[in-house]
Amino acid sequence: MALLEVNDVHTYYGNIHALKGISLTVEEGEVVCLIGGNGAGKTTTLRTICGLLRPRQGSVLFRGHDIIDFPPHTLISKGIAMVPEGRGVFAKLTVTENLELGAYYRQDKEGIKKDMENVFSLFPRLRERQKQLAGTMSGGEQQMLAMGRALMAQPRLLLLDEPSMGLAPVLVEAIFDIIQTINKDGVTILLVEQNAHMALQVGHRGYVLQTGEIVLSDTAKALQQNATVQKAYLGIE
Amino acid sequence: MKNIDWRYVLRLGLIAGVVVAYVSAIGVLVTFNSRSIVAGVLTLGQLILYIAPLWAGYLVGKKVLADGGSYLESLLSGLGVGVLSMVPVLGLIILPHALLPNLRRIFVNISPDLITLLTFQQESLLSGSLLLVGLMTALGLVGSATHLIPTQVRRPLAIALLWVVLVGMFSELLIQILRPLNRTLVTTFFQGNALKSNIALALFAITAALNWIVTSQRETVKTQIKQLPSDYQKGLYIASLVLVFILFMLLPRVVGSFLSEVLVNVGLYILMGLGLNIAIGLAGLLDLGYVTNFAIGAYIMGVLTSTSSLGRGQLSFWVVIPICIVSAMITGFLLALPVLRMRGDYLAITTLGFGEIIRLLALSDWLRPLIGGAQGIVFIPKPAIFDFVFGTSSQLYYIVFFGCLLVLFVSVRLNNSRTGRQWMALREDEDAAKAMGIDTIQTKLLAFTLSAASGGLAGAIFASKLGTIFPNSFDLLVSINVLALIIVGGMGSIPGIMVGALVLIGLPELLREFAEYRLLAYGVLLIVMMLARPEGLIPSEIRQRELHDEEVISTVENPSA
């Protein structure tokens, strides 16, 4: 049984048919990337999975249970955490407070303390800036904070929306290194990225999205070799 | 000369002048002139006249020094501001006299009284005007000269001056308090309704010295306390709480009935402020219809306890209090339901509407058989325990005081709880809060419901305090007052709310001349606060950080600094 199974999902914004029958699976322990250009429906797919948008048709199964009817705030306790596009950190709270809110639904104080320590060893920058307001940090640091905060919920599936957006190339590499580390620690990851090159390097499998439809799906290696993908998303002629 | 920004000087001088001319023309100066601060030396009206050039001089001197100017340049700019600041005022004196004798028909407050005040009772207008020019210029100079005094000295002096002004301004009240104790004390300290000038000087010296001692010793005392074993520290803390409690218990006996009445009003607004603070300060939900809860509490108290024909049940105050609180909470919950999806401005406008609807319902003929319409409800009995009736303000004070304690306790506990953190996240970013697993709907409903509770309590006490309630008592101004005291005191800050209530509700009651200019003063105060201290008088920790990000960053980057 796949950890996440999306079956023939149709999502609309008003009358606009944004997702025209998306189906994808994410197995336990994988890093799966969703690549595609602007407006292909990548973010819409993520928002549908975590309940922020309601599809008109189709089903989303998490560990075998349909989660479409669950409101978004209940998903985190089921094991799905999302790092939204543009990070969505609480700008006016400190780093520590942000992380504490990530563990909001949990009651085990000891475990929270331990996980905070884990996050700090994963992101040493955050340890240095514990008392700083999140909004005053650089984009890369905010991205780290958003990821750390999502990890505080001890998710089984982490949804990452454009983690490389607006970051310097050095930071992009650092972020993708961390994504791999997190995955090795046992967190399954669904990664939405415009930076197809980086995404396919860390991902195991990939789906290519175009105007609301999945046009290609294969292992990351095969996609990297695929002529269409190379031409359209990797900039290789 | 090159370090003086003459345009700034010009602007500030003219602003100061226009402010003085404006408050003169609308009659503030003359009204306030009747309140004397130091007998024969200073009245409140004169103080208001002097503050503008003094303050402008202070600001301009500060700016010149910050731009790297010399002390001489700063004094010169102060002089400039002083001269400029009297130009509009001078116009006020000369225009009606020489050119426009009809000006007074429009500006009725440009009266001979005002002119006499501005020209220091001089026989000739010319010598009076010259005196005014000289004085205003001198004050601008003095304002800029304050920078010559080192900060350690300037602060105690400024605070001492403030004390003299406060004591002088409220001499009348102090006299009322002191007279029953000792008559000679009154005659030694006061003359008429003001401080004697030699006493004022002595008071100035003593408070300055005290303040200097306190500020210089504060740090050492603090470290000494920190070095004590933690048991002792805890003991000290509890002892100081007990002391404050005893002081508050004794307060109405000391201050007499008039001040008790003021304190009861302040207390009612503290209750409402603490309640609204849950919605606005903690959860970030701008509720402009808080009067709704106040009205619900008052009307339920009225209907259930009144001995008039409208009264139903004639229950005891103590039985009805919980009913009032619960009803307010239910109303808060129900009114929150339709606005759950709204944010920011839309929420504010909608709640504003609710507040008006409640007042109109109370006025309506439809509900008249139940709650009396425009005639209101009369014969609401005072609270009583067995045979003891809380009849006077100094007795009602205790009910308000314990109500405040209760709400205070709940507020502090909520602020530091999981729920408090939920509200914090909701206030900062609703979507991110959702992603953290926070049920935003439930969180909002809880905020509105709890926020309503203390409004209901305040309304209930209000009704039985007055004995009668009319729809007019529940207009928009109540909501605005509560909101204003939260903003002035500091959003989300519990001590701030108490200070805000004292300043916005207490002060106007004590300065009766104020009544006419109350809304003007509110507006000015809010604008000044937003410009000078947007985080409020006693800000909460978070608000402070938000508005002063730069300093926080610099301390983070250089932990040594």
Side-chain angles (χ1 to χ4, degrees):
Chain A
M1 180 177 63
L3 184 67
L4 179 76
E5 208 178 311
V6 178
N7 293 319
D8 191 29
V9 158
H10 291 258
T11 304
Y12 290 73
Y13 288 113
N15 285 325
I16 299 162
H17 198 171
L19 298 184
K20 301 163 186 162
I22 298 282
S23 298
L24 57 86
T25 56
V26 180
E27 300 290 336
E28 188 97 49
E30 273 189 316
V31 176
V32 173
C33 15
L34 214 53
I35 56 177
N38 264 340
K42 307 185 297 287
T43 300
T44 309
T45 310
L46 276 199
R47 290 174 70 86
T48 307
I49 292 173
C50 63
L52 287 168
L53 293 172
R54 208 188 146 78
R56 280 201 198 165
Q57 194 187 320
S59 63
V60 178
L61 304 178
F62 182 66
R63 299 166 72 194
H65 301 286
D66 199 331
I67 54 170
I68 278 183
D69 286 327
F70 290 113
H73 67 262
T74 58
L75 292 183
I76 200 151
S77 57
K78 305 212 173 306
I80 302 180
M82 169 150 166
V83 179
E85 192 178 355
R87 293 137 206 154
V89 295
F90 297 106
K92 286 158 188 170
L93 303 187
T94 64
V95 167
T96 317
E97 284 166 341
N98 264 282
L99 291 177
E100 279 168 357
L101 276 168
Y104 168 76
Y105 84 92
R106 292 167 60 186
Q107 303 278 9
D108 55 326
K109 279 197 175 153
E110 284 307 305
I112 292 175
K113 226 175 178 178
K114 217 178 105 221
D115 280 352
M116 180 121 31
E117 208 39 53
N118 281 345
V119 168
F120 282 146
S121 57
L122 205 55
F123 305 99
R125 285 296 273 176
L126 296 185
R127 189 197 298 277
E128 290 165 26
R129 304 193 163 236
Q130 285 178 48
K131 294 263 175 295
Q132 190 170 337
L133 294 196
T136 63
M137 301 198 302
S138 75
E141 287 160 352
Q142 287 189 28
Q143 182 63 48
M144 292 177 191
L145 178 58
M147 286 166 68
R149 191 181 60 181
L151 289 178
M152 291 298 291
Q154 290 190 317
R156 299 188 53 160
L157 174 66
L158 184 61
L159 309 176
L160 291 174
D161 197 356
E162 304 272 8
S164 77
M165 195 174 71
L167 298 188
V170 192
L171 278 172
V172 174
E173 293 223 15
I175 292 282
F176 277 95
D177 280 347
I178 291 164
I179 291 175
Q180 273 182 317
T181 321
I182 294 172
N183 177 245
K184 288 208 180 84
D185 290 344
V187 181
T188 310
I189 291 170
L190 178 59
L191 171 66
V192 157
E193 241 328 322
Q194 286 209 28
N195 188 339
H197 182 68
M198 289 302 297
L200 291 176
Q201 272 183 6
V202 301
H204 300 113
R205 288 189 302 116
Y207 292 88
V208 179
L209 224 64
Q210 216 168 46
T211 55
E213 280 169 301
I214 286 174
V215 289
L216 255 178
S217 75
D218 212 329
T219 63
K221 283 235 164 55
L223 284 178
Q224 273 176 317
Q225 307 302 323
N226 183 298
T228 347
V229 174
Q230 280 188 349
K231 197 166 164 215
Y233 303 109
L234 299 177
I236 303 168
E237 290 290 327
Chain B
M1 294 303 121
K2 63 182 191 306
N3 288 316
I4 304 181
D5 182 354
W6 287 110
R7 278 172 59 188
Y8 185 70
V9 172
L10 185 72
R11 202 172 72 202
L12 216 57
L14 287 181
I15 288 177
V18 167
V19 166
V20 173
Y22 178 73
V23 294
S24 311
I26 61 170
V28 173
L29 282 194
V30 174
T31 325
F32 281 65
N33 203 38
S34 61
R35 188 172 284 235
S36 182
I37 295 176
V38 179
V41 181
L42 186 68
T43 67
L44 189 55
Q46 286 165 338
L47 182 74
I48 293 173
L49 175 65
Y50 300 157
I51 276 180
L54 203 63
W55 188 246
Y58 171 81
L59 283 182
V60 97
K62 192 172 166 185
K63 168 116 162 77
V64 169
L65 289 180
D67 290 347
S70 66
Y71 282 118
L72 189 69
E73 281 171 320
S74 120
L75 289 182
L76 203 69
S77 65
L79 204 67
V81 161
V83 171
L84 283 166
S85 71
M86 53 92 229
V87 172
V89 191
L90 222 49
L92 213 60
I93 300 174
I94 294 166
L95 275 185
H97 184 75
L99 300 168
L100 298 164
N102 288 335
L103 200 62
R104 253 208 83 193
R105 290 205 185 149
I106 306 166
F107 296 100
V108 285
N109 280 312
I110 307 183
S111 58
D113 282 350
L114 176 69
I115 307 297
T116 340
L117 168 67
L118 287 176
T119 51
F120 304 95
Q121 288 102 25
Q122 293 292 316
E123 285 292 313
S124 91
L125 212 52
L126 183 69
S127 62
S129 307
L130 283 179
L131 206 58
L132 178 70
V133 173
L135 194 69
M136 299 282 264
T137 314
L139 284 169
L141 193 66
V142 170
S144 61
T146 50
H147 297 284
L148 299 179
I149 312 169
T151 326
Q152 305 99 288
V153 183
R154 196 170 63 205
R155 266 189 79 85
L157 288 184
I159 289 170
L161 199 64
L162 196 69
W163 271 105
V164 172
V165 168
L166 279 178
V167 171
M169 210 152 71
F170 299 121
S171 304
E172 207 181 328
L173 286 171
L174 290 174
I175 293 171
Q176 275 174 15
I177 295 169
L178 288 177
R179 189 170 287 148
L181 301 175
N182 190 336
R183 255 167 205 283
T184 45
L185 215 60
V186 175
T187 45
T188 22
F189 286 166
F190 301 100
Q191 180 185 338
N193 274 333
L195 273 176
K196 278 186 176 168
S197 49
N198 51 349
I199 298 294
L201 261 178
L203 182 68
F204 179 77
I206 293 170
T207 42
L210 274 180
N211 188 266
W212 193 74
I213 294 169
V214 167
T215 39
S216 58
Q217 296 300 314
R218 185 182 284 156
E219 284 310 308
T220 45
V221 172
K222 257 189 190 164
T223 46
Q224 273 172 0
I225 290 178
K226 269 194 190 134
Q227 279 159 1
L228 287 173
S230 64
D231 280 358
Y232 275 53
Q233 277 187 41
K234 223 177 198 171
L236 216 59
Y237 179 67
I238 291 171
S240 56
L241 279 188
V242 170
L243 192 69
V244 169
F245 179 78
I246 293 174
L247 278 180
F248 271 104
M249 289 298 284
L250 292 177
L251 208 53
R253 289 187 157 272
V254 180
V255 298
S257 62
F258 172 64
L259 268 184
S260 298
E261 167 84 25
V262 174
L263 283 175
V264 168
N265 283 338
V266 170
L268 287 178
Y269 271 93
I270 290 181
L271 275 179
M272 286 196 273
L274 288 173
L276 186 60
N277 184 47
I278 292 177
I280 294 187
L282 302 184
L285 305 163
L286 187 52
D287 179 354
L288 292 185
Y290 198 68
V291 67
T292 316
N293 310 313
F294 188 58
I296 296 278
Y299 268 99
I300 292 203
M301 178 57 79
V303 168
L304 291 184
T305 65
S306 169
T307 53
S308 72
S309 58
L310 283 171
R312 267 152 240 273
Q314 304 185 3
L315 302 172
S316 136
F317 172 84
W318 306 103
V319 177
V320 183
I321 277 276
I323 303 178
C324 291
I325 295 175
V326 171
S327 319
M329 287 171 82
I330 293 172
T331 324
F333 179 84
L334 291 178
L335 290 187
L337 285 176
V339 297
L340 279 176
R341 287 169 178 282
M342 295 178 188
R343 295 183 190 186
D345 312 353
Y346 303 101
L347 179 69
I349 294 292
T350 317
T351 49
L352 189 75
F354 286 149
E356 272 302 279
I357 289 172
I358 282 289
R359 190 180 64 87
L360 291 174
L361 276 181
L363 261 175
S364 69
D365 282 339
W366 177 52
L367 286 177
R368 196 173 167 149
L370 279 177
I371 57 173
Q375 266 99 52
I377 301 176
V378 291
F379 299 125
I380 303 167
K382 298 264 190 279
I385 300 178
F386 299 115
D387 282 341
F388 180 77
V389 182
F390 291 82
T392 65
S393 294
S394 11
Q395 291 157 341
L396 278 165
Y397 168 90
Y398 292 102
I399 294 181
V400 177
F401 177 58
F402 281 104
C404 284
L405 273 191
L406 177 76
V407 176
L408 200 64
F409 177 74
V410 175
S411 294
V412 172
R413 298 294 299 164
L414 277 174
N415 208 355
N416 302 325
S417 71
R418 224 171 117 75
T419 317
R421 223 179 309 162
Q422 237 169 307
W423 285 330
M424 189 162 76
L426 181 72
R427 185 183 71 213
E428 298 305 333
D429 188 331
E430 210 173 314
D431 291 326
K434 243 185 240 174
M436 296 302 96
I438 292 168
D439 185 342
T440 51
I441 300 222
Q442 194 195 324
T443 310
K444 277 187 189 181
L445 283 176
L446 190 68
F448 274 116
T449 311
L450 286 178
S451 156
S454 70
L457 177 62
I461 299 176
F462 175 78
S464 61
K465 170 187 165 249
L466 284 189
T468 49
I469 43 174
F470 302 105
N472 290 344
S473 313
F474 307 101
D475 62 359
L476 179 64
L477 201 60
V478 177
S479 305
I480 304 275
N481 276 340
V482 182
L483 179 65
L485 76 89
I486 290 183
I487 292 173
V488 168
M491 261 195 203
S493 148
I494 290 168
I497 286 162
M498 296 190 231
V499 172
L502 268 178
V503 171
L504 283 189
I505 310 301
L507 271 188
E509 305 263 355
L510 297 182
L511 289 169
R512 267 158 288 120
E513 300 93 323
F514 228 52
E516 217 175 317
Y517 305 104
R518 191 172 182 151
L519 287 178
L520 174 74
Y522 264 32
V524 171
L525 186 64
L526 283 182
I527 292 172
V528 170
M529 285 296 293
M530 286 304 104
L531 288 174
R533 213 178 150 83
E535 70 271 32
L537 290 172
I538 305 185
S540 73
E541 195 194 335
I542 290 181
R543 223 18 84 158
Q544 176 92 33
R545 280 189 320 218
E546 274 170 36
L547 290 156
H548 297 277
D549 274 356
E550 317 83 40
E551 294 130 63
V552 176
I553 299 170
S554 61
T555 50
V556 169
E557 310 248 288
N558 323 303
S560 57

